Amino acid sequence: MKQFVLFTLLCVSVFSCKNEDAVENEISKIETDFIVERFDRAFAEVKPEGLSDLKKAFPFLFYNRIPDSLWVERMQDSNQIMLNNETDKIFEDFKNETHEIEQLFQHLKYYDKSFTEPRIVTLTNFVDYRNKLAVTDTVAVIAIDNYLGNDHEVYSGIPVFLSQNMKPSQIVVDLAKAYSERQIFQSRKKTLLDEMVYFGKQLYFKDKIIPFKTDAEKIGYTPEQLEFARLNEGVIWTEFVEKEMLYNTDSSLPARFIADAPFSKFYLELDSKTPGRLGQYMGWQIVRAYMKNNDVSLQEMLQTDANEIFNKSNYKPPK
């Protein structure tokens, strides 16, 4: 009997892998139509007398209340010139990033038939790492000075738990997150479970939209941090359940387990060894379990209530 069960599980696993390969093969054939417009380079090269032409080419980047004199000052600003030089070194051709964006768009077009490729515009924004990029139906703006490399000297004053993801490979990850936020509906985020499932939806969206990225890249962990989460999943879940956190509306819980932080705050000795955002990781596993155990589409899941997802997930941490 045991051998039969193992054989059945193996067959299911093989069939699932073949099905996923077939889907990915179909997605790889989807055509995309976009170019990356390097506003950062155009601004670095423009002279004051050419500013009006640049404004015509990128009207959505200029605000009427900001006089041209301030833009001319920025052209001559030493910090701006430094960023021009550094972004030019790191993103000389933007070839790899463009390829990953193409893969992202192929997957978005497969799972959302209404999706059309936007204009892709790169710029610098004085390392405003809280606002790395923005997407709309027609434009995606990427502040590439936030992706120079996690050990770049420009980031010396930024906490490591934030700067560790300020590298080129995370551009497409952050784009996927931005697109997930436009598609997720969740009527409330009152409890810790609500927050966990919301971010679990984001991460599962990345599973489908950027499957060429590792799990560590999707969640923004180092490989070691991801391994800690995997090895301690049962312990983490036990803490959440035994301390009755899941349905708790205490506003401090998202700060402890959801928000960017150097570590998660269980108020235990092991805290300093934990990565931040473990609530997001656990929500990810809940949503993965829900999708495994229920026949629903990606779009349906993104619209489903957090409690329904949890109740129908049959989630159990690995032993």
Side-chain angles (χ1 to χ4, degrees), residues 108 130 133-135 173-186 189 198-199 201-203 205-206 280 302-303:
L108 284 172
R130 297 292 184 184
L133 51 78
V135 301
V173 177
D174 288 346
L175 277 172
K177 177 184 177 182
Y179 279 109
S180 76
E181 291 170 343
R182 293 172 60 81
Q183 297 194 31
I184 293 172
F185 172 78
Q186 201 156 300
K189 281 196 289 181
Y198 177 82
F199 286 95
K201 288 179 179 181
Q202 280 192 4
L203 289 160
F205 184 88
K206 293 178 185 178
Q280 292 191 25
L302 296 176
Q303 307 297 311

Side-chain angles (χ1 to χ4, degrees), residues 52-67:
S52 61
D53 290 334
L54 195 61
K55 292 171 72 173
K56 290 177 184 177
F58 301 93
F60 51 90
L61 297 180
F62 294 88
Y63 303 97
N64 292 331
R65 66 178 181 271
I66 299 178

